[in-house]
Amino acid sequence: MNEPSEARLQMAGHWLQIGHPERTLDELQGLWGDAALDYRAYLFRGAALHALERNTEAIDVLRDGLSQYGQSPLLLQVLGSALRAEGRLPEAEATFLQGLSMDPNEPDLLIGYAMVCLAAGQAEKAAALVERAASHAPESAAVSGARAQVAFALGKDKEMFRHTEEALSHDPEDPNARALHGTASMLTGDPRSGYRSLASAAAAHPDDPDLRAAARSAKLANHPLLLPLRPFQRFNPLVVWVCAVAVIYGLRAAHLGVAAGVAAIAWFAFCVYSWVAPPLVRRWINRKWGS
């Protein structure tokens, strides 16, 4: 292979590593002859297309690479992720198992298979796979992120938050870790941190409607007019209702009728406020965000 082609391949890998898959594809477009069929060209092109959510194209490229070079754990890993993103879970599972048959302890393959299990609703199996990956790569940011996703699926909000903090300690600017951290912060009653992280993730992925909606919801939760409603965000609303009713009837039982009446009126006013304020603030925020 001549030097210009080798330089293009190296530059394509560099752009992919620092999160610019579109530049990777631009570099690969300039390859011709044997260089265009290099193993790295298939891997980089497939990974870049997957990163750009052009998964149908990525699957075709990666399968071409596998037909040219035989079974490769790296090609299988990216192919499995692309198949999972397309919702083709049985094919994705078979692909990851094929990769693991060659390298049973490869953390990225184990995590990829765990994500397939999560998508299939097999959270316990996913947790076991992630812990197996952690035993081989305990300091991996990918492991921390996967642990957070498993904890979310299992409803373990505090554990999720702890794992997202670990993921951010590896790379504070990683958008995926930021999105997970924002979600965990909201679930554990810290909407301020939640908004900062979700807004950061949404800014990094401006075309992602789900992230944009999550950041907007977090901004709504942080609005000053909704601060009185924070108990409903931090605690189960049913628990708040039960506590309020218990206080009112407790005051009555203590023969403090006036205080019980004031508490009942205050609680009624609070309920009315909780019904009226959020829609008005949401409408104002939506108008400000341009939708």
Side-chain angles (χ1 to χ4, degrees), residues 189-202:
D190 186 1
R192 187 170 298 175
S193 294
Y195 172 67
R196 284 199 299 266
S197 289
L198 287 168
S200 174

Side-chain angles (χ1 to χ4, degrees), residues 111 137-147 163 166-168 170-171 174 177:
I111 290 172
E139 300 300 321
S140 167
V143 165
S144 297
R147 277 174 161 165
H163 291 313
E166 291 171 2
L168 285 177
H170 295 289
D171 183 359
D174 177 43

Side-chain angles (χ1 to χ4, degrees), residues 26-256:
D26 290 341
E27 292 291 342
L28 295 173
Q29 285 284 15
L31 296 177
W32 56 278
D34 290 341
L37 301 176
D38 188 271
Y39 169 82
R40 291 169 294 173
Y42 285 108
L43 177 61
F44 295 160
R45 184 176 286 110
L49 289 168
H50 174 47
L52 293 168
E53 298 183 358
R54 294 163 57 181
N55 288 298
T56 302
E57 297 171 71
I59 290 167
D60 291 338
V61 167
L62 293 162
R63 283 183 166 161
D64 285 345
L66 288 166
S67 68
Q68 287 280 340
Y69 290 96
Q71 302 307 304
S72 157
L74 278 175
L75 289 173
L76 288 168
Q77 176 200 327
V78 183
L79 175 59
S81 295
L83 288 166
R84 176 179 61 82
E86 285 287 284
R88 294 157 65 174
L89 300 184
E91 292 176 75
E93 180 179 28
T95 300
F96 281 115
L97 287 174
Q98 198 172 357
L100 287 167
S101 69
M102 292 182 286
D103 193 350
N105 298 320
E106 167 53 44
D108 289 333
L109 285 171
L110 289 166
I111 290 172
Y113 186 23
M115 295 302 102
V116 173
C117 293
L118 268 188
Q122 301 171 341
E124 296 291 348
K125 184 176 179 180
L129 287 163
V130 171
E131 291 312 308
R132 188 170 147 197
S135 68
H136 297 285
E139 300 300 321
S140 167
V143 165
S144 297
R147 277 174 161 165
Q149 292 184 64
V150 168
F152 176 72
L154 293 172
K156 299 178 179 179
D157 300 340
K158 291 183 179 179
E159 192 172 315
M160 178 189 181
F161 180 79
R162 177 167 58 84
H163 291 313
T164 60
E165 293 271 276
E166 291 171 2
L168 285 177
S169 71
H170 295 289
D171 183 359
E173 302 305 320
D174 177 43
N176 294 324
R178 278 281 168 199
L180 287 169
H181 182 263
T183 302
S185 297
M186 297 297 293
L187 291 171
T188 53
D190 186 1
R192 187 170 298 175
S193 294
Y195 172 67
R196 284 199 299 266
S197 289
L198 287 168
S200 174
H205 295 289
D207 297 327
D208 189 323
D210 293 334
L211 271 179
R212 185 176 172 84
R216 187 181 306 176
S217 295
K219 186 172 181 62
L220 175 69
N222 279 284
H223 196 278
L225 290 176
L226 299 187
L227 287 179
L229 306 183
R230 190 64 58 84
F232 283 137
Q233 298 167 11
R234 194 170 186 84
F235 306 106
N236 187 318
L238 181 60
V239 173
V240 178
W241 269 89
V242 169
C243 290
V245 172
V247 168
I248 293 169
Y249 278 93
L251 290 172
R252 279 189 178 182
H255 305 291
L256 297 172

